[in-house]
Amino acid sequence: MNKFKHLKSTLATLLLLGCQPALEPQAEAQMTKPQQVQQNKNQTAEKPQGKIVIYQAFTRLFGNSNSHNLPWGTVAQNGVGKLNDINDAALLSLKAMGVSHLWLTGVPHHALVADYSAYGISHDDPDVVKGRAGSPYAVKDYYSVNPDLAVDPAKRMDEFKALLNRAHQHGIKVMIDIVPNHVARHYQSLGKPEGVRDFGADDNTSLEYHKHNNFYYVPGQAFVVPDTDVKPLGGEPHPLADGKFAEMPAKWTGNGARSAKPDQNDWYETVKINYGVKPDGSYDFDRLPAAYNTKSYAEHAAFWQGKELPDSWLKFRDITQFWLDLGVDGFRYDMAEMVPVEFWSYLNSQIKLKNPDAVLLAEVYQPALYRDYVGLGKMDYLYDKVGVYDSLKLLMQGKGTASDVLSKQAEVADIDQHMLKFLENHDEQRIASPEFAGAADKGKPAMVVSTLIGKAPTLIYFGQEVGEAAALDAGFGKASRTSIFDYVGVPAHQGWLNGGKYDGGGLTAEQQQLRDFYQKLLSFSSTSTALQGEFYNLHQVNLVGGVAAQNNTQQDSTRKNYYSEQQLSFARWNQTEKLIIVANFADTAANVELKLPGELLQQWGWQQGDYQLTDALTGQNWPIKVQGEANSQQALLTIELAPLGSVVLQHKTAK
């Protein structure tokens, strides 16, 4: 779904439902001995040497070789990728690119317009399904896999387990989506374990709100299908596409809309989950004390013991424990900020007690909430969307400056290790689309910066590494974003897929060069220990001291230094590895004389003399001379940057 089209109304809902916790001081909870042992294990666990690299694969599309791409096409016409398509060749190729975690989007069974009645699955109504293939964020059964993804739908869970095993054999961990804020309008679980009740099965539907109701209701009013500009299935006749959907009483819609007839821009295919937040925004559960922002998972779990918790909390605890038992290694949480932070304290502490290494990644777009969702909500990582991503996008489009990017990075310096970086995901426009940058190469300097500027993981979206432009009108999904609602192919990605060989045999020379760049960069980031070390902003030093006019992109052969707001530079280091990163966002060459100030050289322990750096992307050697002593030290490095080019200059020393 488009998360930003109606951000204003969504934020209003967030404020009403009170997502920001009141932080009153209370006595600290005590850890039991087993919990103390677990906490010690967490503290002493060995951390990865480099950075985590998360590869997001939209599972339905990833293995699809069909290139017909008819708008609103059926599975028979346009094809669909299967779990089995993510074979050993695919996993080996991802591993070679430095991928440590594979995020499989669209695994839980969601509402879709297809006939699986032979497997006991009820039909979904096209009037409340977006697209033909359906949104992966309208989950219908949390205890089963999307039947579209299985060669044999009757064995879809077995096929998923087999993929888990394949990934683990190649040293790749697997994440799936959990969508806590909403479920499909027609939720019906066939796969739930004995004793588990469906969402809403025990609700008192005569009440708008009750602590243990799973949904909010509009008592006395039936749901009315919204008037939409896009007709179900593009206007194709269907027995259930009659403008009606039986729901009495109506439930609140997924984005918090309370009308029995939501707007077409509301998330009308979903219904909102109740977490014990009353309609007036007050809370029906114990608040988490401010002191818990620095406490362990075990202490958070202890806080919730013996407390009466809303039923929805328990249901999602059981769901996540179910997937952990299958071998899933982590979760990506959709729209986490629309759910109270106390719930996350409870859920994530339960997850971490079971698997301390589980990766927990959350969508949070309000910077004012970041630190609460990290400290109190116990999230591992949050999207750095409205900061670094947005500022990089503007810089790539020629509308922003390198200083803006570094300013946004500085704003989250205290939680840098939690701020995941990305340039594409399923919600964002493709770099190569005209609506974003218009050329995949324009993403290269931004990818260098995004990948190397912080300590947190890097996310790459499938097809990004080969320049997918998302130019198709797929039906419900439109150009610039790869559709998450339709059965469709992904042309550039299919060149790498190459009929299941995953060898790039169908790529153009330019696409292969782009993928080689991504592979070198991401592989380097997965092993570079300096990326878990310190950061130094070289940009401001060189911008002030350089000769170039900050906004002038014209090259003049009489000028010595072209450093401007279209170049971005910084250093990363630890005791054994030093990095100098310079990225050129201009589509013209830049001859840069980069200054390394004495302050940085002293921190590195570099003395007067000659040093040699090696570009991690090309292998080229770069000599550098440190001149002066003590406070007068400095070094100048002359770098010829190609259009949209970057250097990642590395110096390593023995331990």
Side-chain angles (χ1 to χ4, degrees):
M1 64 190 65
N2 189 329
K3 304 288 192 339
F4 305 103
K5 191 171 184 179
H6 292 275
L7 186 58
K8 184 176 180 180
S9 62
T10 299
L11 293 179
T13 300
L14 293 173
L15 294 174
L16 177 60
L17 294 182
C19 282
Q20 298 189 61
L23 303 176
E24 305 90 353
Q26 294 183 10
E28 296 184 0
Q30 299 297 313
M31 283 192 290
T32 64
K33 186 173 181 179
Q35 289 167 342
Q36 289 173 334
V37 171
Q38 183 64 69
Q39 175 65 8
N40 291 337
K41 180 180 177 182
N42 293 350
Q43 292 174 343
T44 59
E46 185 177 349
K47 295 183 178 179
Q49 291 297 301
K51 292 181 61 169
I52 290 174
V53 177
I54 302 174
Y55 188 95
Q56 181 189 3
F58 197 88
T59 319
R60 180 204 304 148
L61 306 182
F62 184 82
N64 183 20
S65 297
N66 188 308
S67 59
H68 288 163
N69 298 329
L70 300 175
W72 294 98
T74 64
V75 169
Q77 292 168 326
N78 286 358
V80 65
K82 305 292 185 180
L83 295 164
N84 288 358
D85 291 328
I86 308 176
N87 56 26
D88 288 313
L91 295 166
L92 282 167
S93 185
L94 293 178
K95 188 68 176 179
M97 195 163 59
V99 172
S100 57
H101 290 69
L102 176 60
W103 164 19
L104 295 172
T105 301
V107 167
H109 182 185
H110 58 78
L112 53 92
V113 184
D115 186 357
Y116 285 106
S117 58
Y119 304 94
I121 298 171
S122 60
H123 293 288
D124 290 307
D125 191 326
D127 291 304
V128 288
V129 175
K130 290 183 176 177
R132 185 185 295 276
S135 167
Y137 298 106
V139 176
K140 176 177 180 170
D141 184 353
Y142 259 118
Y143 290 98
S144 189
V145 166
N146 177 5
D148 272 344
L149 303 180
V151 174
D152 181 354
K155 297 180 179 179
R156 56 194 183 275
M157 294 302 291
D158 291 333
E159 291 184 26
F160 177 71
K161 292 175 189 175
L163 173 54
L164 276 179
N165 289 335
R166 283 197 300 280
H168 290 163
Q169 287 170 4
H170 291 289
I172 295 176
K173 296 185 177 182
V174 176
M175 302 168 60
I176 66 168
D177 288 278
I178 296 292
V179 190
N181 181 63
H182 46 268
V183 294
R185 286 215 103 89
H186 179 47
Y187 185 92
Q188 185 182 49
S189 175
L190 298 180
K192 60 182 181 292
E194 185 177 355
V196 172
R197 301 281 288 168
D198 275 353
F199 286 99
D202 302 311
D203 282 7
N204 182 344
T205 61
S206 68
L207 301 174
E208 180 182 30
Y209 166 84
H210 186 277
K211 178 175 181 174
H212 296 301
N213 275 0
N214 299 133
F215 303 127
Y216 299 92
Y217 294 91
V218 187
Q221 297 185 47
F223 172 77
V224 180
V225 173
D227 301 320
T228 60
D229 296 331
V230 181
K231 300 301 181 184
L233 305 180
E236 174 188 313
H238 187 281
L240 296 177
D242 56 3
K244 300 176 182 178
F245 178 76
E247 182 180 287
M248 179 68 188
K251 303 178 181 75
W252 288 16
T253 294
N255 61 324
R258 304 184 182 193
S259 172
K261 182 180 181 179
D263 183 81
Q264 67 171 332
N265 295 310
D266 289 323
W267 305 344
Y268 61 83
E269 78 279 25
T270 66
V271 289
K272 186 168 179 60
I273 298 291
N274 163 31
Y275 284 92
V277 180
K278 298 177 182 178
D280 65 3
S282 60
Y283 297 95
D284 219 352
F285 48 78
D286 289 62
R287 307 311 308 283
L288 196 63
Y292 274 73
N293 67 347
T294 59
K295 292 188 181 296
S296 69
Y297 297 110
E299 290 170 299
H300 277 250
F303 176 84
W304 297 111
Q305 288 181 0
K307 291 181 168 58
E308 183 187 6
L309 304 176
D311 183 71
S312 297
W313 292 31
L314 307 180
K315 279 186 164 58
F316 272 100
R317 175 204 61 193
D318 293 344
I319 288 165
T320 50
Q321 295 288 312
F322 170 83
W323 290 101
L324 290 171
D325 285 338
L326 287 179
V328 167
D329 303 291
F331 304 105
R332 179 267 187 187
Y333 296 132
D334 185 78
M335 293 308 291
E337 65 186 13
M338 296 184 76
V339 179
V341 75
E342 280 85 357
F343 164 74
W344 294 116
S345 162
Y346 170 73
L347 182 72
N348 289 341
S349 62
Q350 296 296 314
I351 290 170
K352 289 290 190 174
L353 287 179
K354 189 177 190 71
N355 180 5
D357 297 323
V359 170
L360 306 176
L361 167 62
E363 235 185 341
V364 177
Y365 296 120
Q366 298 180 77
L369 298 180
Y370 287 170
R371 288 155 187 84
D372 286 342
Y373 278 75
V374 168
L376 297 176
K378 308 310 290 181
M379 296 295 184
D380 290 325
Y381 308 111
L382 308 178
Y383 279 29
D384 197 337
K385 195 276 176 194
V386 301
V388 169
Y389 168 85
D390 281 354
S391 59
L392 274 173
K393 184 173 184 178
L394 290 173
L395 180 56
M396 294 162 70
Q397 294 173 327
K399 301 174 184 177
T401 67
S403 291
D404 294 337
V405 176
L406 289 159
S407 176
K408 291 299 181 182
Q409 173 68 10
E411 288 176 8
V412 293
D414 61 313
I415 53 171
D416 167 62
Q417 68 270 30
H418 299 287
M419 300 305 296
L420 172 133
K421 302 296 192 290
F422 64 90
L423 292 182
E424 288 188 0
N425 63 49
H426 65 278
D427 281 320
E428 307 300 340
Q429 294 171 326
R430 292 287 194 173
I431 295 167
S433 70
E435 294 82 357
F436 188 157
D441 278 353
K442 289 191 175 181
K444 292 169 75 174
M447 193 65 193
V448 168
V449 172
S450 179
T451 301
L452 305 181
I453 199 170
K455 297 179 181 178
T458 300
L459 171 69
I460 178 174
Y461 189 38
F462 86 112
Q464 176 184 342
E465 73 275 31
V466 290
E468 172 59 36
L472 298 174
D473 181 348
F476 194 91
K478 302 304 178 185
S480 84
R481 293 176 177 86
T482 295
S483 176
I484 66 170
F485 306 105
D486 304 284
Y487 299 111
V488 69
V490 184
H493 170 73
Q494 288 176 334
W496 173 59
L497 169 62
N498 195 23
K501 297 177 183 177
Y502 296 94
D503 60 1
L507 297 176
T508 66
E510 292 78 11
Q511 289 170 332
Q512 186 61 61
Q513 288 170 3
L514 183 66
R515 194 174 191 281
D516 290 344
F517 161 81
Y518 272 89
Q519 177 153 331
K520 288 176 183 177
L521 176 63
L522 293 172
S523 297
F524 171 76
S525 76
S526 71
T527 59
S528 170
T529 60
L531 298 179
Q532 295 302 330
E534 303 301 318
F535 172 88
Y536 191 93
N537 181 349
L538 290 170
H539 178 71
Q540 300 305 329
V541 173
N542 285 278
L543 190 64
V544 173
V547 190
Q550 294 181 14
N551 297 315
N552 185 6
T553 61
Q554 297 297 316
Q555 299 299 303
D556 181 342
S557 61
T558 65
R559 295 166 70 182
K560 186 177 182 181
N561 188 5
Y562 297 112
Y563 196 95
S564 73
E565 283 287 12
Q566 289 190 292
Q567 287 77 48
L568 193 157
S569 59
F570 56 89
R572 301 296 309 277
W573 78 94
N574 61 11
Q575 282 190 326
T576 60
E577 185 182 15
K578 313 293 186 288
L579 300 176
I580 299 168
I581 295 97
V582 190
N584 180 23
F585 286 81
D587 56 10
T588 52
N591 296 319
V592 171
E593 188 176 68
L594 194 76
K595 175 184 176 182
L596 303 187
E599 179 186 36
L600 174 63
L601 298 172
Q602 287 178 41
Q603 292 184 60
W604 283 8
W606 279 16
Q607 306 297 320
Q608 190 176 51
D610 296 320
Y611 294 83
Q612 182 168 283
L613 305 169
T614 302
D615 188 349
L617 300 181
T618 66
Q620 181 180 353
N621 292 326
W622 295 77
I624 184 172
K625 181 184 288 292
V626 176
Q627 297 178 324
E629 297 180 358
N631 295 332
S632 64
Q633 270 189 332
Q634 74 166 19
L636 294 177
L637 183 62
T638 301
I639 303 172
E640 297 180 2
L641 292 168
L644 303 174
S646 303
V647 293
V648 180
L649 305 182
Q650 180 187 45
H651 181 273
K652 299 189 77 171
T653 56
K655 292 184 179 179

